[in-house]
Amino acid sequence: MARPGSGLPMNGVGYPPQSVARVVVWEWLNEHGRWRPYSAAVCHHIENVLKGDARGSVVLGQVDAQLSPYIIDLQSMHQFRQDTGTMRPVQRNFYEPSSAPGKGVVWEWENDNGSWTLYDMEICVTIQNAYEKQHPWLDLTSLGFCYLIDFNSMCQTNRQSQRKRRLRRRMDLAYPLIMGSIPKSQSWPVGASSGQPCSCQQCILVNSTRAASNAILASQRRKLYGGSAGNAGATGTVVRQSNTFAGTSLWSPTSTSSTTKNNNISVGGGQAKAEQVQSPLSPANFPCSPVMPSLSSGHGHHALTINGQNNLNRPGTQRISMGTARGTIPAGVPALPVKNLTGSGPVHPALAGMTGILMCAAGLPVCLTRAPKPILHPPPINKSDMKPVPGINGMRRKTKKKHLKRGKNPEDVVRRYAEKIKVVPDEDCTICMERLVMSSGYEGVLQHKGIKPELVGRLGKCGHMYHLLCLLAMYNNGNKDGSLQCPTCKTIYGEKTGTQPPGKMEYHVIPHSLPGHSDCKTIRIVYDIPAGIQTNEHPNAGKKFSARGFPRHCYLPDNEKGRKVLKLLIMAWDRRLIFTIGTSSTTGESDTVVWNEIHHKTEFGSNLTGHGYPDPNYLDNVLAELSAQGVGEDNLKD
């Protein structure tokens, strides 16, 4: 079967005929089930290491500094991240020399951060073919994507949302070209044996483990598929023994094939074209896991081949293959946590990942576990179960455009909070760094009637002294909301407000408890801010800003301190201090709505990200953050 877009016929082990020149592209499997290509430089590096030692490992940081934590183990065909222990399958694919990777042509689309992202190699090849044939546009529906490529405007349009993104074509290093026969040592995964097994104690132990696992696996498959190896012809199901556990070659072409005529499968009442599908947990990626069975009908009308090298990463086939993979993990096989961010497991994540690689190399069965996922939301809740928070009126607050601006005369604000002094001490003004006995550093830069450059004032609460012209310059450079904040001690004078865009805030009690607060229910806060246009108070007036991840759900315990925090958060919302427009610290995207130094708990039932419960210090910490914004407990009315 040929890989779509490659044009190269494949033989039984996933390689093109040995007499054909081919371009090699190495790829890794991401969390969405897509095979993502490494760069051409990285692929050249992998091929060079491969020539020297087909059973060795490849340090990717030697060619790309951004990949310094990653190592590829050629024997198990996995990418291993040293700092977290994360393991991902890798594969080696082949394309025609005249295709995009062979010519060094790269197609990329512009992401939300303004940087460029490489398309999957299969899509690159398809786009380049259409481009060379001078097609005006290309529909990617046939590849499982609802995008339309327009070569005239060089943009990609989402057919559902009609959102457009720029795309570009650029020249880069061509991917490595190989010719001739494949060396025997390149038939991965390595570790399959032939002939009589060794009689040492270690091999006897391994072989007995394989035999027991095969027996368990065969029993599970009979339950799963409703048949047995003895009557496979009657049921249309062929149950194969695990090649890894049996000690035979994983590449032996034992899967039952069918004719291409009427080659359809039915899943959940629907039909889809049958293609070779490689599960993310298939033996090509996890060589020490049981081999997936091949389903075949006796008449060749329905066939689904799980054990294949030509992986199509479409959502429908992913669900089929993943479901099959989960059903074939034998009981009793040790499970190693390969990713454990919280450190709650008994094994360090990096040690667990390396142990998994070593066990695979030794032929031992290893069941690789997935990382636990954060529980972001509570179970579904009816509207009738959402109750008002005791002691707080209403369940919603809105910020409208007419509330956004309250102009104040700058001179009046400075004179309100700073008292002019006659005896000036010989010390520095920490705003302009000039001596107070000298004129302000803003002399000649900023001029204002009634405030001379040599005048000095003392702030009423904290007593720190500055040039009045310097305080005026600081105010004009801020939000101009009628408040001042001492640059030395951060004491706030007046009511500080922020630059939060318009939106709404909802809050109510839900009948579930947070971890660590089993004695009370939960307050849920929902923030919703739409995208819009920046105003004069924002970094880039007149430019659009994005609002990612809204509505955002946050949680507080429904106890006395939790309700106090909610009251102060409502006050901070009214003062537009919860959010601002800036650059996201997580994605790097600019001109987007971001949190404004008041931390919230967005994880309901776990604390994997650090934004959940239990956290015994959170309520005290957020009270301190609110106080730093001028929203303290003294603002609450009895």
Side-chain angles (χ1 to χ4, degrees), residues 255-323:
S255 60
T256 304
S257 61
S258 62
T259 62
T260 58
K261 182 179 181 181
N262 298 329
N263 198 21
N264 295 327
I265 57 173
S266 177
V267 181
Q271 288 189 342
K273 185 176 180 180
E275 296 163 317
Q276 279 193 310
V277 180
Q278 181 185 17
S279 163
L281 296 181
S282 69
N285 294 330
F286 293 86
C288 293
S289 299
V291 174
M292 300 297 105
S294 295
L295 304 183
S296 176
S297 69
H299 303 289
H301 294 293
H302 304 278
L304 169 60
T305 304
I306 300 296
N307 183 30
Q309 289 300 304
N310 301 325
N311 180 35
L312 297 181
N313 303 299
R314 298 185 183 132
T317 56
Q318 291 171 29
R319 287 190 289 270
I320 297 170
S321 58
M322 286 299 296

Side-chain angles (χ1 to χ4, degrees), residues 442-453 469 472 476:
Y442 286 91
E443 182 181 13
V445 178
L446 179 67
Q447 294 181 354
H448 204 281
K449 295 180 180 180
I451 297 184
K452 297 179 181 180
L469 192 62
L472 184 66
N476 285 332

